Each structure stands twice: as structure tokens, then as C-alpha cells.
């Protein structure tokens, strides 16, 4: 391979899609793995919101704890 076809596209700030995630329920009582996902999303306390890149990894994490967070 000569490396052709490896074109990396750089998105401008205005093009990057963000999703706002807010913790609305405590992860206590839902198992350590779900608490770890909440921690991985970056929300620290109930009512705390973060804006994350809207990509498949983030969407998967949100899906795992959708009963604990609010999106939007």
C-alpha cells in the first residue's frame, strides 16, 4: 500500500455535531457498570449537563443509561 485513500477529513467547529446529556437520576442501585458509563459520559451530579460529540460511541453509552439521563 502506497497509502492512497487514507484521506482524513477535518471538520470545522461549526460542523461538529454535539449532544447535550443531563443526569436526571442517580446511578446508585443500578450496578457498577452503569455507574461507570455515567462517569464515562462525564456527568458528575444530578442536574449536571455536558455537551459531547455525537458519534456512535456516545450514542451507545447514552442508550445503556437512557433511564438515568436526559438528552437535549
Amino acid at each position: 500500500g502506497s497509502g492512497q485513500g487514507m484521506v482524513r477529513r477535518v471538520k470545522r467547529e461549526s460542523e461538529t455535531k454535539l449532544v447535550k446529556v443531563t443526569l436526571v437520576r442517580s446511578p446508585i442501585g443500578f450496578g457498577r457498570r452503569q455507574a461507570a458509563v455515567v462517569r464515562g459520559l462525564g456527568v458528575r451530579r444530578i442536574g449536571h449537563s455536558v455537551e459531547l460529540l455525537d458519534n456512535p460511541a456516545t450514542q451507545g453509552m447514552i442508550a445503556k443509561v437512557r433511564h438515568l439521563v436526559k438528552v437535549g
Side-chain angles (χ1 to χ4, degrees):
S2 59
Q4 291 179 342
M6 295 285 292
V7 178
R8 178 171 269 192
R9 302 199 187 278
V10 180
K11 287 192 172 187
R12 289 190 215 94
E13 290 288 325
S14 60
E15 290 180 35
T16 56
K17 294 273 191 279
L18 294 175
V19 59
K20 186 175 179 182
V21 180
T22 306
L23 188 64
V24 294
R25 190 161 179 194
S26 170
I28 293 172
F30 286 98
R32 290 189 183 274
R33 291 192 61 171
Q34 290 183 42
V37 171
V38 169
R39 213 173 310 120
L41 286 169
V43 283
R44 296 178 170 270
R45 67 195 78 81
I46 294 173
H48 183 229
S49 299
V50 291
E51 285 192 339
L52 303 166
L53 287 175
D54 191 6
N55 57 32
T58 305
Q59 289 295 333
M61 292 174 77
I62 292 169
K64 287 291 182 185
V65 293
R66 61 187 177 275
H67 52 289
L68 304 177
V69 297
K70 180 179 76 177
V71 179

